[in-house]
Amino acid sequence: MATIKFFSSAVLLAALAACAQPALRQPAATADITIFSINDFHGNLQAAQPVPYMATLADPGHPGQQMSVPAGGYAYLAALLKQRRAAAPASILVGGGDLIGASPIGSAILRDEPVIEALNQLGLAATAVGNHEFDAGAATLLRKLRGECPATGCAYPGFRGAAFDYLAANVSEQGSAQPWLKPYVIRQVGEFKVGFIGAVTADVPNLVAGDKVGQLRFEDEASAVNRYVPELQRQGVAAIVLLIHEGADYAGAANDPSYRCEGLHGPIIAISKKLDPAISLIVSGHSHQAYTCKIDGRLVMQGGSYGAYLSEATLSIDRNTRQVLRAVAYNHLIAQHQLSAEPQAQQLVQHVAALTAAVRNRPVATLAGALMRDSAGAAFDSALGNVIADAQLSQTQNQGGAEIAFMNEGGIRADLPSGHPAPPLRLSYGDLYAAQPFGNTLVRLRLSGAQILALLQQQWQGRTADDPKKLFVSDGFSYRWNPASPIDERVQDVRLNGQPLLPEREYSVVVNSFLAGGGDGFSVLKQGTQRQSIGQDLEALEAYVQAQGERLANVKTDRVRRAD
């Protein structure tokens, strides 16, 4: 018995000793990786005027009141990214397209080359191609990516091309099944291999002048993306992320903790519903909205535009099964007053500013009040839209004249001036360029009254009654629209200088070259005859603003009226 007691005591003492030692840590069953993303940057390197994005925040100095603050700017984006990377070391930065193109003048006159250098500095790994990457043509895009200079030389000293990958699973050359750009890449993020598939809206041919992308074919987004999922899975990826330049409209907050996003609507919803379940995250773009939502349980996010937000998604992955168990996201507002500019990024911004100062800062005119690109209240028109249409009509006066001008809403990229500065409003050439950055020519053509009526009706093709793809019209042209009527009857009482539009009569019309080629889905304009080029759209706007000056504050926004 004594032997047994001794043995029992020894076992007990050994057990107590073991309890006194620190327990061996078991490895966690899951690990997190972070996907940072930006979309629709559009070359907005500068943080000074014009500021493309003003955010409304609670004013800490005045409880219950709000204040408007500038957001974005490359140097501030770089500063916040550095902070967030320090907190999430297993991370990667990717893009949702339109990182270049439709850029402000400081970037545009340097052909967006410094923007690509800035993205290299940020450590961007890959991005979807967007429609605006094609603004200068497919061949020019490839040249930029490779760092090849044209015969006249590169515009930005030391330009070396993109150190990151542009992806487009749904773009191929006409007559070829091979993707025009890489369809996907695999990158190591922390412990895991992650597959990134890229795609762009299949609507590119309606968004880019036809001669710029005529040799390319744009396939249904979901069909093309799904084709590469098995290929990625065979290579052992733990997660698949879709980078797609297509999105949704959303009137809610930039972050929805519930991820329900009531009221979210747009093409990305139907695309997401058709995607392979293996895709855990969608980084979207194109609609310039900020949201964090889930569509049938799949996380979809977008970070506004112009570098105003840095999007951050965290994927929790099971170490054993290599499956994504959880996905969450947050859009960080890049409020300039809360950050200090990152030094290396600020040096690039200052270099670009110095190279372009003479052109950007050239004075043009003084305005009595800002001209806004968006419609105010219940108005269909916008003040700036009407001014641009009037400027284009005025451009024809010394070249045989025209009777009507149309301006597409999507071709106006900023207010005049942007950033809501205090009066007096002294416009620079850079302000004009921010509003109209595409460098379109103006085209005079002839359309019958019946064709003009059909053109106006195309504003509602594929759109809800209260969300048309607007055409702004020149002074003297007017009509009413009835949201309750079918599309082919929605436009009513069309008049030119007070007289009814005659279906059989031909009219002289001026539009920009993008519209003249059927851009934005306005295919009726492709039927126009007797086409003539009559100068540049930006030259027309500059001349008109100089001539009209402070009188532009009186422009009316009642040319198009709602019938009910």
Side-chain angles (χ1 to χ4, degrees):
M1 290 294 294
T3 304
I4 295 174
K5 285 182 180 179
F6 175 80
F7 178 75
S8 299
S9 299
V11 170
L12 178 61
L13 289 171
L16 290 172
C19 290
Q21 298 298 317
L24 293 175
R25 283 192 174 181
Q26 296 296 321
T30 63
D32 291 346
I33 62 171
T34 299
I35 313 296
F36 294 114
S37 63
I38 56 175
N39 60 275
D40 297 275
F41 185 61
H42 290 290
N44 278 272
L45 296 173
Q46 303 240 48
Q49 294 288 353
V51 178
Y53 191 94
M54 299 294 290
T56 302
L57 301 175
D59 187 342
H62 301 84
Q65 297 185 28
Q66 294 184 316
M67 62 180 184
S68 185
V69 299
Y74 166 56
Y76 297 93
L77 167 62
L80 182 59
L81 180 61
K82 181 179 288 187
Q83 290 180 13
R84 295 307 307 154
R85 275 176 167 155
S91 67
I92 192 170
L93 175 66
V94 293
D98 274 8
L99 303 187
I100 61 174
S103 304
I105 190 169
S107 300
I109 62 177
L110 298 176
R111 304 178 192 140
D112 276 326
E113 291 169 4
V115 184
I116 293 174
E117 286 293 330
L119 297 172
N120 290 341
Q121 282 187 5
L122 283 180
L124 184 72
T127 180
V129 72
N131 54 289
H132 281 293
E133 265 89 7
F134 292 106
D135 280 349
T140 299
L141 173 60
L142 290 180
R143 178 194 65 77
K144 289 179 183 177
L145 301 186
R146 296 167 182 158
E148 298 170 355
C149 297
T152 54
C154 283
Y156 187 68
F159 178 61
R160 56 194 172 93
F164 52 91
D165 289 299
Y166 263 105
L167 308 177
N170 66 325
V171 182
S172 59
E173 289 194 40
Q174 294 284 0
S176 171
Q178 297 301 312
W180 183 69
L181 294 169
K182 289 181 181 179
Y184 67 83
V185 293
I186 297 174
R187 294 288 182 266
Q188 189 75 27
V189 185
E191 302 175 29
F192 306 105
K193 291 199 298 183
V194 180
F196 295 91
I197 307 176
V200 63
T201 173
D203 198 36
V204 168
N206 289 323
L207 301 172
V208 179
D211 59 340
K212 305 291 178 62
V213 294
Q215 81 277 27
L216 299 178
R217 181 174 67 93
F218 295 85
E219 187 183 350
D220 174 79
E221 304 93 342
S223 299
V225 168
N226 286 340
R227 187 163 58 242
Y228 293 101
V229 170
E231 193 171 320
L232 283 168
Q233 290 174 319
R234 287 193 295 271
Q235 297 178 70
V237 299
I240 300 177
V241 176
L242 172 59
L243 313 177
I244 182 169
H245 193 68
E246 184 58 280
D249 292 316
Y250 181 56
N255 295 289
D256 182 349
S258 73
Y259 299 102
R260 288 194 293 268
C261 296
E262 299 293 339
L264 183 80
H265 65 281
I268 199 64
I269 297 175
I271 292 171
S272 179
K273 289 178 180 292
K274 293 189 290 184
L275 289 174
D276 191 298
I279 297 171
S280 301
L281 169 66
I282 299 175
V283 174
S284 64
H286 193 45
S287 57
H288 290 205
Q289 307 288 297
Y291 50 73
T292 54
C293 309
K294 289 193 176 179
I295 300 172
D296 294 340
R298 191 192 332 256
L299 181 60
V300 182
M301 65 181 185
Q302 186 180 160
S305 60
Y306 305 136
Y309 288 93
L310 173 66
S311 299
E312 178 176 344
T314 301
L315 304 183
S316 298
I317 301 175
D318 188 300
R319 282 190 163 103
N320 296 318
T321 64
R322 303 290 189 179
Q323 297 293 312
V324 175
L325 303 180
R326 182 170 174 263
V328 296
Y330 191 83
N331 281 319
H332 300 276
L333 179 69
I334 302 172
Q336 294 177 10
H337 73 289
Q338 297 174 344
L339 296 161
S340 297
E342 199 280 327
Q344 183 185 20
Q346 184 65 10
Q347 186 177 19
L348 184 147
V349 171
Q350 291 171 343
H351 189 200
V352 170
L355 290 172
T356 61
V359 178
R360 284 187 299 107
N361 298 329
R362 177 165 60 80
V364 173
T366 300
L367 298 184
L371 297 172
M372 311 306 287
R373 63 173 174 157
D374 292 330
S375 305
F380 188 97
D381 306 6
S382 82
L384 183 53
N386 288 0
V387 165
I388 292 175
D390 291 346
Q392 294 179 357
L393 188 64
S394 176
Q395 178 78 359
T396 71
Q397 289 180 350
N398 297 324
Q399 302 183 55
E403 298 167 280
I404 309 164
F406 296 110
M407 177 61 197
N408 56 312
E409 181 181 26
I412 309 173
R413 308 301 290 191
D415 300 328
L416 195 61
S418 66
H420 310 289
L425 304 180
R426 296 186 176 91
L427 294 185
S428 69
Y429 187 72
D431 292 316
L432 296 184
Y433 200 102
Q436 281 196 283
F438 297 110
N440 288 313
T441 58
L442 294 179
V443 179
R444 181 172 52 202
L445 48 82
R446 299 190 70 82
L447 293 173
S448 69
Q451 288 172 318
I452 291 173
L453 179 61
L455 171 68
L456 297 174
Q457 291 163 344
Q458 285 189 319
Q459 294 174 101
W460 283 273
Q461 277 192 351
R463 313 285 288 217
T464 62
D466 290 312
D467 183 33
K469 188 173 285 188
K470 292 181 181 179
L471 287 175
F472 300 119
V473 303
S474 54
D475 190 28
F477 188 83
S478 65
Y479 65 91
R480 295 182 300 126
W481 68 282
N482 190 333
S485 298
I487 287 179
D488 58 358
E489 299 175 9
R490 188 159 292 163
V491 175
Q492 305 165 1
D493 192 26
V494 185
R495 293 178 177 269
L496 178 60
N497 298 323
Q499 300 301 310
L501 195 75
L502 301 177
E504 68 281 0
R505 188 197 145 185
E506 281 200 341
Y507 295 86
S508 179
V509 174
V510 60
V511 293
N512 62 51
S513 51
F514 170 69
L515 278 177
D520 271 349
F522 292 108
S523 58
V524 169
L525 287 165
K526 294 167 71 175
Q527 303 169 14
T529 60
Q530 300 182 37
R531 294 169 176 253
Q532 294 176 293
S533 177
I534 55 168
Q536 299 285 327
D537 58 356
L538 196 57
E539 291 174 358
L541 180 60
E542 181 178 13
Y544 189 75
V545 167
Q546 286 178 328
Q548 297 294 317
E550 296 188 357
R551 292 192 295 274
L552 293 176
N554 300 320
V555 65
K556 295 182 178 180
T557 54
D558 60 353
R559 299 171 187 179
V560 180
R561 296 185 178 184
R562 189 168 171 140
D564 55 345

